[in-house]
Every structure is written in C-alpha cells, then in structure tokens.
Amino acid sequence: MDEALLRSLTPSVLTVLVRRGADFAAAEDAVQEALVEALRGWPADPPRDPKGWLVTVAWRKFLDATRADTARRRREDRADEEPPPGPAPAADDTLQLYFLCAHPSLTPSSAVALTLRAVGGLTTRQIARAYLVPEATMAQRISRAKRTVSGVRFDRPGDVATVLRVLYLVFNEGYSGDVDLAAEAIRLTRQLAASIDHPEAAGLLALMLLHHARRAARTAPDGSLVPLAEQDRGRWDTRLIAEGVGILQTALARDRLGEFQAQAAIAALHADAPTVEETDWVQIVEWYDELARLTDSPVVRLNRAVAVGEADGPRAGLAALAGLDATLPRHTAVAAYLHERDGDPETAARLYAEAAHQATTLAERDHLTRRAARLNAHRNG
C-alpha cells in the first residue's frame, strides 16, 4: 500500500466533493472514511483508477452521512427548544436505536463511537476530540465497529452503562455549542430515567439539568466565553437547578454512587452558591476525590487540581497539577490560571498564549488570548 499516493490524492478528492456541493467539514469526514477503506482493501485488490475509486466511495459516505444528519435534525426539530421539567413524553424509537447500536458484540468504546456517529449525528472529528484520540484512529475504530455489526442480529441490545456514556458525550457536544444536541440528549435521558430503575440514569439527568441551567450565562452577547466565576448567576435557570438537585438527592439516597452522580454533586455545589466567594470548594475537592476513585480519569484529576487551588491556595493547586501529563487538553490553561492566582502574571500570560494555540474551538482560543493580552497590558502599563 502506497500511503504517499493516498496523501497526494486526498486534496484533489476533497476538491471534487466540495465542487459537487458538500460542505468542507463533511467532505473531509467522508474522504477520511474512504481512506480507511482504501488502507484496508487496496493491498489485496488495488483499483485501476485510485482517484476515481476514492471519489466514488467518499461521495457515497457523504450521502450516507447527509441522510443520517437530515433524519437526526428532523428528530431535533420535534423536540422542544428547552427541556421542560416533569414526566418524560412518550418514547420514540431513538432511544431504542441507542441500545441497538450498543450491541454486545462490540467493546463499550466501539459501541459508543458507532452510536455517536450513526445515531447521534456527530462527526468523526468531534468523536475523536471527545475521546482525546487522533481523528484517523477514531475513523478506523468506527469502521471496525460497522464491520463487526454488519452481519449480526440486533435482538440483543447493549447495556445501560454504554447508552449512558453515549448520551453524556452527545450532551457535552451540544453543551459546548459546536452542535446543538443538548436538549435532545436531555429528552432521551428523561425517557431512560423514567423507564428503568438505575441511579446512574438519574444521576446523568441531574447532571445535564444542572449544567443546562447555566447555559444562558456561559456566553456574552458577542459570543465570547464567560468563565463560571464571572457568570451572572441571575441568568441561571433556577427551575432546572431545583429539578436537578431534587433528582440527585433521590439518587444519592439509594447509596449506589456512580460517576454521573458524583459529577452532578459537584455541579449542584456550584449551583447552590449565591456568589463565587461562597462556593464550598472543600466539599467540591472531596467529591472530586470520589470521582477520581470511581473513574481514575486524568481529566478528573486536572479539574481536581483547579478545585484544590481554590480550596487550599494556588500553590497547592500547582502541586496537584505537577503530577499530571502536561499534554492533557486544558492542562496549560489550568496552569496559567493557577499561576495568575499565585501572583505570577508573566508566567500566566505566557501559558495563556500557549493554551490559546492549543484550543480546539474559536471561542476558547479568543478567551485565552484575551486573558493573555490583559495580563501583558497590566504588566506593561
């Protein structure tokens, strides 16, 4: 297999798809999937016309993705713009599709990736970002999952834990503002929590509601990000907060703690504080300790370092940060914030600038760039 040939053909194939009417991001995703198929199939059966083969396969991938996206958007249009409190409406087939894609023949990670792509409507790039892996790696994982389930019977749906993980990732993409899927994720999680006796389903629903309650305050009128400490708490949706806290308390009372309940408890402590100064950071650190025990996640430990910096001072936060992999997403931004809190604006400004180059969204990059500029202006002024 001549990988150099594939690399050389990629720009021209991409151009053909764009000229045919595909938007650039969707065309990139389709070409990536075609390349994965080429890497798998060409060594045994190379095509006579490599470029023509890639164009044909990529265009078919684009059309399949477009049809799936159109179907997903129709489902979203039927959902209310904001998730109402109270009992879940009658179930449709979407949640069943989530369970079917989480097939027992797949590993949990592959099932989640396949469901996000096939039912959730996320692109391969978005899924890769959520899993902190290269896009090509995720494309191969999704392709393998498709091949695995292509010949199996869908009479054994997947487990609840996998479906919960999918809904959580779909909500996170929607909550980030990149794709507006948050309300749809809440709608489906309401259905799931109402239909099964599972404390983590309730914990996930509480977590979503508590985060969604703050959504209106997360951005300024110009679209820029507003950090939690600077948000106008008067814009938080107290109705959703009350519902989320109530659901969480009921779940915690069952004494079957899981990661979504622990995350919801942290969100509830933030929501309960009338001002940022009144936040119970000591209790938040304790919940992060529980969450780290449950997940052993480096991202959790990164967020814990921020909480330690608030509870015990920035030096303690930097000490907690020191033991973590510096290549973790947001590691540089967290280090910048803690150095700023520690009275080291020169280091903080440099780190904010580095973090801006690493940012995955325009809003995050602009936010970090502004923080670096503000500190530099203060030092020079």
Side-chain angles (χ1 to χ4, degrees), residues 171-182 215 218-219 361:
F171 176 80
N172 280 346
E173 277 298 333
Y175 189 63
S176 73
D178 194 21
V179 179
D180 191 10
L181 293 172
R215 188 172 187 179
R218 291 184 72 244
T219 55
T361 67

Side-chain angles (χ1 to χ4, degrees), residues 131-251:
Y131 270 90
L132 311 180
V133 299
E135 185 177 352
T137 300
M138 183 53 65
Q140 292 175 342
R141 183 180 300 177
I142 294 171
S143 294
R144 285 196 299 268
K146 289 179 180 178
R147 291 198 303 274
T148 299
V149 300
S150 61
V152 301
R153 289 173 55 87
F154 281 90
D155 54 359
R156 292 186 300 140
D159 69 340
V160 173
T162 300
V163 174
L164 288 173
R165 176 63 51 188
V166 174
L167 290 168
Y168 173 68
L169 292 172
V170 170
F171 176 80
N172 280 346
E173 277 298 333
Y175 189 63
S176 73
D178 194 21
V179 179
D180 191 10
L181 293 172
E184 172 72 352
I186 291 176
R187 183 182 73 86
L188 294 173
T189 306
R190 283 192 188 281
Q191 289 184 7
L192 185 59
S195 63
I196 63 172
D197 182 23
H198 197 297
E200 274 293 79
L204 178 58
L205 178 57
L207 175 64
M208 288 179 174
L209 294 172
L210 289 164
H211 278 307
H212 204 67
R214 301 201 303 259
R215 188 172 187 179
R218 291 184 72 244
T219 55
D222 63 359
S224 59
L225 292 179
V226 180
L228 177 62
E230 300 171 18
Q231 288 177 14
D232 178 2
R233 300 186 177 217
R235 299 186 66 196
W236 290 1
D237 190 328
T238 55
R239 175 179 56 86
L240 287 181
I241 290 173
E243 185 187 6
V245 169
I247 292 171
L248 173 63
Q249 289 174 339
T250 301

